[in-house]
Each structure stands twice: as structure tokens, then as C-alpha cells.
Amino acid sequence: MGNEDFKQDKLIPIAQRSFASYEEMYRIVDFLNKTLKEKYNIMFGLTKNNKDGSMVITIYEF
């Protein structure tokens, strides 16, 4: 098991926010992960709520 696998097993959600769907939000989340993941030990996740179409962004620490 590499370091990456070990870190992802210990993701702890620290904040979550729901907002209206924005088609290219995944690009912002990708940018944040590439920029902040290694320096601050945080990671961003993005999901879409299929019931109302809203997006949910979650910030994790590891």
C-alpha cells in the first residue's frame, strides 16, 4: 500500500456546503486539489444531488 492509498483511507470531512449546480465546478475542485493537497493535507470532493440537481462540495483533511 502506497502513501496515497493510506492517506485516502483516513479522510476526515471538516466542512460541507451545498449550492446551485455549476457545470464546470469540477475544474475548480481539481485546481484546488492540485494546489493545496500536498501543502495543507486537505482534499476537496464534489458530488451532485440527483434529487434537486444541487452540488455539494466537501473539504477533507488527512
Side-chain angles (χ1 to χ4, degrees):
M1 179 183 292
N3 280 345
E4 192 68 47
D5 295 328
F6 178 74
K7 287 180 183 178
Q8 289 183 2
D9 288 343
K10 298 188 129 194
L11 294 177
I12 301 163
I14 58 173
Q16 191 172 61
R17 181 65 55 134
S18 179
F19 53 92
S21 181
Y22 173 62
E23 188 175 314
E24 295 202 18
M25 186 64 186
Y26 73 93
R27 295 178 79 184
I28 295 169
V29 170
D30 185 52
F31 168 73
L32 291 170
N33 280 332
K34 287 179 179 177
T35 305
L36 303 174
K37 186 176 178 182
E38 296 300 320
K39 186 171 183 172
Y40 295 105
N41 293 328
I42 60 173
M43 194 165 105
F44 296 80
L46 183 67
T47 57
K48 185 170 185 174
N49 183 333
N50 289 328
K51 291 181 183 178
D52 65 6
S54 65
M55 304 292 283
V56 177
I57 189 167
T58 305
I59 304 172
Y60 301 93
E61 70 178 355
F62 54 90

Coordinates of all heavy atoms in Angstrom, one line a residue:
M1 N 0.8 -1.2 0.0 CA 0.0 0.0 0.0 C 0.9 1.2 0.0 O 1.7 1.4 0.9 CB -0.9 0.0 1.2 CG -1.8 1.2 1.3 SD -2.8 1.2 2.8 CE -3.9 -0.1 2.6
G2 N 0.7 2.1 -1.0 CA 1.5 3.3 -1.1 C 1.0 4.4 -0.1 O -0.1 4.3 0.5
N3 N 1.7 5.5 0.0 CA 1.3 6.6 0.9 C 0.0 7.2 0.5 O -0.8 7.6 1.3 CB 2.4 7.7 0.9 CG 3.5 7.4 1.8 OD1 3.5 6.5 2.6 ND2 4.6 8.1 1.6
E4 N -0.3 7.3 -0.8 CA -1.5 7.8 -1.3 C -2.7 7.0 -0.9 O -3.7 7.5 -0.4 CB -1.5 7.9 -2.9 CG -2.6 8.7 -3.5 CD -2.5 10.2 -3.1 OE1 -1.4 10.7 -3.3 OE2 -3.4 10.8 -2.7
D5 N -2.6 5.7 -1.0 CA -3.7 4.8 -0.5 C -3.9 5.0 1.0 O -5.1 5.0 1.4 CB -3.4 3.3 -0.8 CG -3.3 3.1 -2.3 OD1 -4.0 3.8 -3.1 OD2 -2.5 2.2 -2.7
F6 N -2.9 5.0 1.8 CA -3.0 5.2 3.2 C -3.7 6.5 3.6 O -4.6 6.5 4.4 CB -1.6 5.1 3.9 CG -1.7 5.3 5.4 CD1 -2.1 4.3 6.2 CD2 -1.3 6.5 5.9 CE1 -2.2 4.5 7.6 CE2 -1.3 6.7 7.3 CZ -1.8 5.7 8.1
K7 N -3.3 7.6 2.9 CA -3.9 8.9 3.2 C -5.4 8.9 2.9 O -6.2 9.4 3.6 CB -3.2 10.0 2.4 CG -1.9 10.3 2.9 CD -1.3 11.4 2.0 CE 0.2 11.7 2.5 NZ 0.8 12.8 1.6
Q8 N -5.8 8.3 1.8 CA -7.2 8.3 1.4 C -8.1 7.5 2.3 O -9.3 7.7 2.4 CB -7.4 7.9 -0.1 CG -6.8 8.9 -1.0 CD -7.0 8.6 -2.5 OE1 -7.6 7.6 -2.8 NE2 -6.5 9.4 -3.3
D9 N -7.5 6.5 3.0 CA -8.3 5.7 4.0 C -8.6 6.5 5.2 O -9.5 6.1 6.0 CB -7.5 4.5 4.4 CG -7.4 3.5 3.3 OD1 -8.2 3.5 2.4 OD2 -6.5 2.6 3.4
K10 N -7.9 7.7 5.4 CA -8.1 8.4 6.7 C -8.7 9.8 6.4 O -8.4 10.8 7.1 CB -6.8 8.6 7.4 CG -6.3 7.2 7.9 CD -5.1 7.4 8.7 CE -5.3 6.6 10.0 NZ -4.5 7.0 11.1
L11 N -9.5 10.0 5.4 CA -10.1 11.2 5.0 C -11.2 11.6 6.1 O -12.1 10.8 6.4 CB -10.8 11.2 3.7 CG -9.9 11.1 2.5 CD1 -10.7 11.0 1.2 CD2 -8.9 12.2 2.4
I12 N -11.1 12.8 6.6 CA -12.0 13.3 7.7 C -12.7 14.5 7.1 O -12.0 15.5 6.9 CB -11.2 13.6 9.0 CG1 -10.5 12.4 9.5 CG2 -12.1 14.2 10.0 CD1 -9.4 12.7 10.5
P13 N -14.0 14.5 7.0 CA -14.7 15.7 6.5 C -14.7 16.8 7.5 O -14.9 16.5 8.7 CB -16.1 15.2 6.2 CG -16.2 13.8 6.8 CD -14.9 13.3 7.1
I14 N -14.3 18.0 7.1 CA -14.2 19.1 8.0 C -15.2 20.2 7.6 O -15.5 21.1 8.5 CB -12.8 19.7 8.1 CG1 -12.2 20.1 6.8 CG2 -11.9 18.6 8.8 CD1 -10.9 20.8 6.9
A15 N -15.7 20.2 6.4 CA -16.7 21.2 6.0 C -17.4 20.7 4.8 O -16.9 20.0 4.0 CB -16.0 22.6 5.7
Q16 N -18.7 21.2 4.7 CA -19.5 20.8 3.5 C -20.5 21.9 3.2 O -21.0 22.5 4.1 CB -20.3 19.5 3.9 CG -20.9 18.9 2.7 CD -21.5 17.5 3.0 OE1 -22.3 17.4 3.9 NE2 -21.0 16.5 2.4
R17 N -20.7 22.2 1.9 CA -21.6 23.2 1.5 C -22.3 22.8 0.2 O -21.7 22.3 -0.7 CB -20.8 24.5 1.3 CG -21.6 25.7 0.9 CD -22.5 26.2 1.9 NE -21.8 26.5 3.2 CZ -21.9 27.5 3.9 NH1 -22.7 28.5 3.6 NH2 -21.2 27.7 5.0
S18 N -23.6 23.1 0.2 CA -24.4 22.8 -1.0 C -24.7 24.1 -1.7 O -24.9 25.2 -1.1 CB -25.8 22.1 -0.5 OG -26.6 21.9 -1.6
F19 N -24.8 24.0 -3.0 CA -25.1 25.2 -3.8 C -25.7 24.8 -5.2 O -25.7 23.7 -5.5 CB -23.8 26.0 -4.0 CG -22.6 25.2 -4.6 CD1 -22.4 25.2 -6.0 CD2 -21.8 24.5 -3.8 CE1 -21.4 24.4 -6.5 CE2 -20.8 23.8 -4.3 CZ -20.6 23.7 -5.7
A20 N -26.2 25.8 -5.9 CA -26.8 25.6 -7.2 C -25.8 24.9 -8.1 O -24.6 25.3 -8.0 CB -27.3 26.9 -7.8
S21 N -26.2 24.1 -9.0 CA -25.3 23.4 -9.9 C -24.6 24.4 -10.8 O -25.1 25.3 -11.3 CB -26.2 22.4 -10.8 OG -25.3 21.7 -11.6
Y22 N -23.3 24.1 -11.0 CA -22.4 24.9 -11.8 C -21.6 23.9 -12.7 O -20.9 23.1 -12.1 CB -21.5 25.8 -11.0 CG -20.5 26.5 -11.8 CD1 -20.8 27.4 -12.8 CD2 -19.1 26.3 -11.5 CE1 -19.8 28.1 -13.5 CE2 -18.1 26.9 -12.3 CZ -18.5 27.8 -13.3 OH -17.5 28.5 -14.0
E23 N -21.9 23.8 -14.0 CA -21.4 22.8 -14.8 C -19.9 22.6 -14.7 O -19.4 21.4 -14.8 CB -21.7 23.1 -16.3 CG -21.4 22.0 -17.2 CD -22.0 22.3 -18.6 OE1 -23.1 22.7 -18.8 OE2 -21.2 22.1 -19.6
E24 N -19.1 23.6 -14.6 CA -17.6 23.4 -14.6 C -17.0 23.5 -13.2 O -15.8 23.7 -13.1 CB -17.0 24.5 -15.5 CG -17.4 24.2 -16.9 CD -16.5 24.8 -17.9 OE1 -15.3 25.2 -17.6 OE2 -16.9 25.0 -19.1
M25 N -17.8 23.3 -12.2 CA -17.3 23.3 -10.8 C -16.2 22.3 -10.6 O -15.2 22.5 -9.8 CB -18.4 23.1 -9.8 CG -18.0 23.2 -8.4 SD -17.4 24.9 -8.1 CE -16.8 24.8 -6.4
Y26 N -16.3 21.1 -11.3 CA -15.2 20.1 -11.2 C -13.9 20.7 -11.5 O -12.9 20.2 -10.9 CB -15.6 18.9 -12.1 CG -15.4 19.2 -13.6 CD1 -14.1 18.8 -14.2 CD2 -16.3 19.7 -14.3 CE1 -13.9 19.1 -15.5 CE2 -16.1 20.0 -15.7 CZ -14.9 19.7 -16.3 OH -14.7 19.9 -17.6
R27 N -13.8 21.6 -12.4 CA -12.5 22.2 -12.8 C -11.9 23.0 -11.6 O -10.7 23.0 -11.3 CB -12.6 23.1 -14.0 CG -13.0 22.3 -15.2 CD -13.2 23.2 -16.4 NE -11.9 23.5 -16.9 CZ -11.7 24.3 -17.9 NH1 -12.7 24.9 -18.5 NH2 -10.4 24.6 -18.3
I28 N -12.8 23.7 -10.8 CA -12.3 24.4 -9.7 C -11.8 23.5 -8.6 O -10.8 23.7 -8.0 CB -13.4 25.3 -9.1 CG1 -13.8 26.4 -10.2 CG2 -13.0 25.9 -7.8 CD1 -15.0 27.2 -9.9
V29 N -12.6 22.4 -8.4 CA -12.2 21.4 -7.4 C -10.9 20.7 -7.8 O -10.0 20.5 -6.9 CB -13.3 20.3 -7.2 CG1 -12.9 19.2 -6.3 CG2 -14.5 21.0 -6.6
D30 N -10.7 20.4 -9.0 CA -9.4 19.8 -9.5 C -8.3 20.8 -9.2 O -7.2 20.4 -8.8 CB -9.6 19.5 -11.0 CG -8.4 18.8 -11.5 OD1 -8.0 17.8 -10.9 OD2 -7.8 19.2 -12.6
F31 N -8.5 22.1 -9.6 CA -7.4 23.1 -9.3 C -7.1 23.2 -7.8 O -5.9 23.2 -7.5 CB -7.9 24.4 -9.9 CG -7.1 25.6 -9.4 CD1 -5.8 25.8 -10.0 CD2 -7.6 26.5 -8.4 CE1 -5.1 26.9 -9.5 CE2 -6.8 27.5 -8.0 CZ -5.6 27.8 -8.6
L32 N -8.1 23.2 -7.0 CA -7.8 23.3 -5.5 C -7.1 22.1 -5.0 O -6.1 22.2 -4.3 CB -9.2 23.4 -4.8 CG -9.9 24.8 -5.0 CD1 -11.3 24.7 -4.4 CD2 -9.1 25.9 -4.4
N33 N -7.5 20.9 -5.5 CA -6.8 19.7 -5.1 C -5.3 19.7 -5.5 O -4.4 19.3 -4.7 CB -7.5 18.4 -5.6 CG -8.7 18.1 -4.7 OD1 -8.7 18.4 -3.5 ND2 -9.7 17.4 -5.3
K34 N -5.1 20.0 -6.8 CA -3.7 20.0 -7.3 C -2.8 21.1 -6.5 O -1.6 20.9 -6.4 CB -3.7 20.3 -8.8 CG -4.2 19.1 -9.6 CD -4.2 19.5 -11.0 CE -4.6 18.2 -11.8 NZ -4.7 18.5 -13.3
T35 N -3.5 22.2 -6.1 CA -2.7 23.3 -5.5 C -2.5 23.1 -4.0 O -1.4 23.4 -3.5 CB -3.5 24.6 -5.7 OG1 -3.7 24.8 -7.1 CG2 -2.7 25.8 -5.2
L36 N -3.5 22.6 -3.3 CA -3.5 22.6 -1.8 C -3.3 21.2 -1.2 O -3.0 21.2 0.0 CB -4.8 23.2 -1.3 CG -5.1 24.6 -1.8 CD1 -6.5 25.0 -1.4 CD2 -4.0 25.6 -1.4
K37 N -3.5 20.1 -1.9 CA -3.5 18.8 -1.3 C -2.2 18.5 -0.6 O -2.2 18.1 0.6 CB -3.7 17.8 -2.4 CG -3.8 16.4 -1.9 CD -4.2 15.4 -3.1 CE -4.3 14.0 -2.6 NZ -4.6 13.1 -3.8
E38 N -1.1 18.6 -1.2 CA 0.2 18.3 -0.6 C 0.7 19.3 0.5 O 1.2 18.9 1.5 CB 1.3 18.1 -1.6 CG 1.0 17.0 -2.6 CD 1.0 15.6 -1.9 OE1 1.7 15.4 -1.0 OE2 0.1 14.8 -2.3
K39 N 0.4 20.6 0.3 CA 0.9 21.6 1.2 C 0.1 21.7 2.5 O 0.7 21.9 3.6 CB 0.8 23.0 0.5 CG 1.5 24.1 1.3 CD 1.6 25.3 0.5 CE 2.3 26.4 1.4 NZ 2.6 27.6 0.6
Y40 N -1.2 21.5 2.4 CA -2.1 21.7 3.6 C -2.8 20.4 4.1 O -3.6 20.4 5.0 CB -3.1 22.7 3.3 CG -2.5 24.1 3.1 CD1 -2.4 24.6 1.8 CD2 -1.9 24.8 4.2 CE1 -1.8 25.9 1.6 CE2 -1.4 26.0 4.0 CZ -1.3 26.6 2.7 OH -0.7 27.8 2.5
N41 N -2.5 19.3 3.4 CA -3.2 18.0 3.8 C -4.7 18.1 3.8 O -5.3 17.6 4.7 CB -2.7 17.5 5.1 CG -1.2 17.1 5.0 OD1 -0.7 16.6 4.0 ND2 -0.5 17.3 6.1
I42 N -5.2 18.8 2.8 CA -6.7 18.8 2.6 C -7.0 18.4 1.2 O -6.2 18.5 0.3 CB -7.2 20.2 2.9 CG1 -6.6 21.3 2.0 CG2 -7.1 20.6 4.4 CD1 -7.3 22.7 2.1
M43 N -8.2 17.9 1.0 CA -8.7 17.5 -0.3 C -10.1 17.9 -0.4 O -10.9 17.9 0.5 CB -8.5 16.0 -0.4 CG -8.6 15.4 -1.7 SD -8.0 13.7 -1.8 CE -9.6 12.9 -1.9
F44 N -10.5 18.2 -1.6 CA -11.9 18.6 -1.9 C -12.6 17.5 -2.7 O -12.0 16.9 -3.6 CB -11.9 19.9 -2.8 CG -11.3 21.1 -2.0 CD1 -9.9 21.2 -1.9 CD2 -12.1 22.0 -1.4 CE1 -9.3 22.3 -1.3 CE2 -11.5 23.0 -0.7 CZ -10.1 23.2 -0.6
G45 N -13.9 17.3 -2.4 CA -14.7 16.4 -3.1 C -16.0 17.1 -3.6 O -16.4 18.1 -3.0
L46 N -16.5 16.6 -4.7 CA -17.7 17.3 -5.3 C -18.7 16.2 -5.7 O -18.3 15.2 -6.4 CB -17.3 18.1 -6.6 CG -18.4 18.8 -7.3 CD1 -18.9 20.0 -6.4 CD2 -17.8 19.4 -8.6
T47 N -19.9 16.3 -5.3 CA -21.0 15.4 -5.6 C -22.2 16.2 -6.1 O -22.3 17.4 -5.8 CB -21.4 14.5 -4.4 OG1 -21.8 15.3 -3.4 CG2 -20.2 13.6 -4.0
K48 N -23.0 15.5 -6.9 CA -24.2 16.1 -7.4 C -25.4 15.4 -6.7 O -25.5 14.2 -6.7 CB -24.3 16.1 -8.9 CG -25.5 16.8 -9.5 CD -25.4 16.9 -11.0 CE -26.6 17.7 -11.5 NZ -26.5 18.0 -12.9
N49 N -26.3 16.2 -6.2 CA -27.5 15.7 -5.6 C -28.5 15.4 -6.7 O -29.0 16.4 -7.4 CB -28.1 16.7 -4.6 CG -29.3 16.2 -3.9 OD1 -30.1 15.3 -4.4 ND2 -29.6 16.6 -2.7
N50 N -28.8 14.2 -7.0 CA -29.7 13.8 -8.1 C -31.2 14.2 -7.9 O -31.9 14.4 -8.8 CB -29.6 12.3 -8.4 CG -28.3 11.9 -9.0 OD1 -27.7 12.7 -9.7 ND2 -27.8 10.8 -8.7
K51 N -31.6 14.4 -6.6 CA -32.9 14.8 -6.3 C -33.3 16.3 -6.8 O -34.3 16.5 -7.4 CB -33.2 14.7 -4.8 CG -33.3 13.3 -4.4 CD -33.6 13.2 -2.9 CE -33.5 11.8 -2.4 NZ -33.8 11.7 -1.0
D52 N -32.4 17.2 -6.5 CA -32.6 18.6 -6.8 C -31.6 19.2 -7.7 O -31.7 20.4 -8.1 CB -32.8 19.4 -5.6 CG -31.5 19.5 -4.7 OD1 -30.5 19.1 -5.1 OD2 -31.6 20.1 -3.6
G53 N -30.6 18.5 -8.1 CA -29.6 19.0 -9.1 C -28.5 19.8 -8.4 O -27.7 20.4 -9.1
S54 N -28.6 20.0 -7.1 CA -27.6 20.9 -6.5 C -26.2 20.2 -6.4 O -26.2 19.0 -6.6 CB -28.1 21.3 -5.1 OG -28.1 20.1 -4.2
M55 N -25.2 20.9 -6.1 CA -23.9 20.4 -6.0 C -23.5 20.5 -4.5 O -23.9 21.4 -3.8 CB -22.8 21.2 -6.8 CG -23.2 21.3 -8.3 SD -23.0 19.7 -9.1 CE -21.3 19.6 -9.3
V56 N -22.7 19.6 -4.1 CA -22.2 19.6 -2.7 C -20.7 19.5 -2.7 O -20.1 18.5 -3.3 CB -22.8 18.4 -1.9 CG1 -22.2 18.4 -0.5 CG2 -24.3 18.4 -1.8
I57 N -20.0 20.4 -2.1 CA -18.5 20.4 -2.1 C -18.2 20.1 -0.6 O -18.8 20.6 0.3 CB -17.9 21.7 -2.5 CG1 -16.4 21.5 -2.6 CG2 -18.2 22.9 -1.6 CD1 -15.7 22.7 -3.3
T58 N -17.3 19.1 -0.4 CA -16.8 18.7 0.9 C -15.3 18.9 1.0 O -14.6 18.6 0.0 CB -17.1 17.2 1.1 OG1 -18.6 17.0 0.9 CG2 -16.8 16.8 2.5
I59 N -14.8 19.4 2.1 CA -13.4 19.6 2.3 C -13.0 18.5 3.4 O -13.7 18.4 4.4 CB -13.1 21.0 2.9 CG1 -13.6 22.0 1.9 CG2 -11.6 21.1 3.1 CD1 -13.4 23.4 2.5
Y60 N -12.0 17.8 3.0 CA -11.5 16.7 3.9 C -10.0 17.0 4.3 O -9.3 17.6 3.6 CB -11.4 15.4 3.1 CG -12.7 14.9 2.6 CD1 -13.1 15.2 1.3 CD2 -13.5 14.1 3.3 CE1 -14.3 14.7 0.7 CE2 -14.7 13.6 2.8 CZ -15.1 13.9 1.5 OH -16.3 13.5 1.0
E61 N -9.7 16.6 5.5 CA -8.3 16.6 5.9 C -7.8 15.2 6.1 O -8.6 14.3 6.3 CB -8.1 17.4 7.2 CG -8.6 16.8 8.4 CD -8.3 17.6 9.7 OE1 -7.6 18.6 9.6 OE2 -8.8 17.3 10.8
F62 N -6.5 15.0 5.9 CA -6.0 13.6 6.1 C -4.6 13.7 6.8 O -4.1 14.7 7.0 CB -5.9 12.9 4.7 CG -5.1 13.6 3.7 CD1 -3.8 13.5 3.5 CD2 -5.8 14.5 2.8 CE1 -3.1 14.1 2.5 CE2 -5.1 15.1 1.8 CZ -3.7 15.0 1.7

